[in-house]
Structure formats: structure tokens, C-alpha cells
Amino acid sequence: MGGWAAAPWRLGGCSGRGGLRGAARRWGSSRPGAGDRAATLSDLLQSSVEAEEPGAAAARQERRCPREGTVLLFPGQGSQFVGMCRGLQQYPGVRDMYRLAEKVLGYDLLSLCLEGPRDALDRTQHCQPAVFVASLAAVEKLNHLQPEVVERCVAAAGYSVGEFAALVFAGALDFAEALYAVKVRAEAMQRASEAVPSGMLSVVGRREANYKFACLEARKHCESLGIENPVCTISNYLFPDSRVIAGHLQALEFLQENARKYYFKRTKMLPVSGAFHTRLMEPAVEPLAEVLKSIEIQKPLLCVYSNVDGKKYMHSKHIQKLLVKQVVSPVLWEQTMHSVYERKQGTEFPYTYEVGPGNQLGAILKQCNLKAWKQYKHVDALEDEEAAEI
């Protein structure tokens, strides 16, 4: 029996008591019947198996103090870099992970991550699967070096495509099936971004900044240029006084030229090819919706927070619906961070681990919640000697 036979992760629960809520899961496990519902995946998933530990749900029911629980954050597109995952193959399951990824994707993802070229890795269709797999490879590293961190995890959140990795970690999605969904999502978003000249503008504003009014005037400017139904809207809420605005390139150029008028302190075009998380991504909705209908989704074994509303996923249909809606909805990351770390005054904050390439989510957490950030650590997708200490 083939497949991915990495050591199972022990997943924490979110019942308030911490500990295990369900059986431990193995990478690459395909649930019974998944191949029947997804004929396109059947050949890829034949070798996958599901492993459970009897009695795991009752293994850890003791009450923990908040500090003993952990939170995992999974990065999104833009965190990738050539050379990521170098050295991670030494950890159990990582080589199997990339071998399975090559079968699902149809190309050598590991070589692309290690050797580039950069312009190929940065393409949406490649970087989304790359970040997804690299983040879960970083979890393997964390599980090998500090298994208690993984065992005590009570909540997870992922930024954009990182949400798929968070759901795999939480046992809601199978690794291979989720990767296939990410592949479909990334390719569809690539096509949508090439259809209209569009992009994303990172903005740091003063307290007086009115982002929605600025977007309205930018749309009017586009209409004066003859652009029908122009798009210019907030696509990412990062932290107080920081937003990403996405839409037609002419709208973003207008905002840069008039930054002082709208009390924007700094603006920077992001190195992406499209207006992600806006209605310009509508062509990607149906392909993703179709593939999500064809795979099995289970209720997460721990709290996973949605980008769409900043709240916990409640059940499988909820996940299926919001993962599709996320493609054309703004990423409410600031609101998500408030949900994850909301607690009574005086309650300790959990240790937070960002797993995967880059440490942008840690920088954002510092701006959203300084006290929570003080318990933050980064598990990089690099060799131990290059990665930040964990």
C-alpha cells in the first residue's frame, strides 16, 4: 500500500478544554468514496490511505491554561521565494509530499521551488501550490522539532490560499484533494488576471484616510476614460491604517497620483498580475466551486477562521461555500486576528507560529495585537541554520 506514510499529527480541539477532539490523521489520506465523486482525481488518490488512532479523542481532555494552547498561521501568495524548502526533505513525509504534489500538478514543484526561475515561481498558477505545500512542509518540520506545539494547537488561520493549508492541517480537507483544488483555483485566477489589465496597491494611510471614497473617485476617473463597470475596491484589510486596494490599473495609477488628497502616507504596487479578491476574479468562481463539490470536506478538528467574515468555520457546507466566496471577497485579515486573539483582559495569549515562507503574517500581527505578537515565532521553509529559531 503506497501513499504518504508520514507520522500522524495530533490535532488540538477548540472546545475550550484543548487537547484532541478527533483521531490523528496522516498526510495523503483519501476518504472512502472520494475517488467515486472525483473521477479526475481517482488515479492520483488510489494509493492514499486514512489512518486513525483509536481512543485519540479521549487522550487529552484535561483543561489547559491559555498559554499552553498554540495558534498556527499559514501565509499566502507573495511569500514565495526561490530556494524555499531547501533542507526540509530531511523531515518525515516531506519528500512524499512533493512526490504526490508532482502527480497532482503534473510538474516538478520541488525543483521549481528550489531552483526557479523566479518569474515562473511567481506566476499565480505556480506560486499558490508552492506556498500551500511549503507551508505544510514547515508544519512537518515543526512537528519533528517540537511535536507538542502541533499537538496543542487549538486554532489556525490562513491568508488567502493559506486557508486551504490551514484546513488540511485541521483535518477538514485531504492533502491531495486540497492541492488539486488549489491547482484549479490558481490556474483560473491566472486566466482571470490576464483577461483585464489590473493589479493591487498596498496603502498605508493616515487616520483621516477614507479608502472607500478614494476608490469611488478612482472608479469615476476610469469611467471618464471610457472603462465600463470599472473595479477599484478594498481587497485586503491588513491592520489598522493599512489596506490593499485592487482593481483596474488606471484606477490604481489615479490613486498613486492623488495619494496626498486621500491622506495616503505610502503606496506601493504589489508584484501580482491581477486584482485578486475582487469581482474581476469571477471567472475563477465556477471552476473552484465545481472541484469543491467533487471532494469530501469534513468539519475541522480545531478552530479554523475564514477570510470572508473572520469567523470560525462551523461545518463542511460552510467551508465549501466560503472558500468559493473568498475568491471575489476581500480578505478580512485584521478582523480575523481580532477574532483569533479576542480574550478577557488579563488572560494570557497563546504561542503563535507562522508556518511557511516569509514572515509577513508576523509583521501584520505585531500591528494588530502587540501582546499576541510577543508570543510569535516563525517556522521557515529553509534549513535550520537559516531559519529563525523556533
Side-chain angles (χ1 to χ4, degrees), residues 260-322:
R260 293 184 64 182
K261 175 182 177 181
Y262 302 115
Y263 300 99
F264 294 168
K265 290 193 293 185
R266 293 194 304 275
T267 62
K268 179 182 179 182
M269 287 296 296
L270 299 180
V272 296
S273 58
F276 303 140
H277 302 289
T278 72
R279 62 179 171 86
L280 288 178
M281 290 294 111
E282 283 180 355
V285 166
E286 187 175 348
L288 178 59
E290 286 302 309
V291 74
L292 288 176
K293 288 177 185 176
S294 73
I295 64 179
E296 185 173 357
I297 303 174
Q298 296 186 353
K299 183 177 180 180
L301 296 171
L302 52 87
C303 297
V304 179
Y305 292 79
S306 168
N307 288 180
V308 173
D309 57 12
K311 298 177 182 178
K312 302 170 191 174
Y313 280 115
M314 303 308 295
H315 49 76
S316 60
K317 290 293 184 182
H318 194 208
I319 294 171
Q320 180 181 325
K321 177 182 177 181
L322 292 190

Side-chain angles (χ1 to χ4, degrees), residues 66-88:
R67 179 63 60 80
E68 289 183 329
T70 61
V71 174
L72 264 58
L73 302 180
F74 293 80
Q77 181 171 347
S79 61
Q80 74 279 352
F81 58 90
V82 175
M84 67 181 185
C85 297
R86 183 171 289 117
L88 293 189

Side-chain angles (χ1 to χ4, degrees), residues 121-188:
L121 179 61
D122 286 347
R123 285 179 63 81
T124 296
Q125 68 189 74
H126 296 141
C127 71
Q128 289 190 16
V131 170
F132 168 86
V133 178
S135 296
L136 292 169
V139 176
E140 286 285 342
K141 172 182 176 178
L142 179 61
N143 190 51
H144 179 77
L145 298 177
Q146 292 182 264
E148 69 280 1
V149 170
V150 174
E151 186 176 327
R152 294 173 180 173
C153 185
V154 295
Y159 192 97
S160 191
V161 72
E163 203 163 274
F164 286 80
L167 288 165
V168 170
F169 171 71
L173 296 175
D174 170 81
F175 171 80
E177 292 177 342
L179 178 57
Y180 184 76
V182 168
K183 175 183 187 292
V184 171
R185 177 187 192 266
E187 291 174 350

Side-chain angles (χ1 to χ4, degrees), residues 198-215:
S198 57
M200 304 180 80
L201 181 71
S202 176
V203 177
V204 176
R206 302 185 187 280
R207 292 185 177 241
E208 309 96 305
N210 187 328
Y211 302 96
K212 292 184 179 179
F213 177 70
C215 290

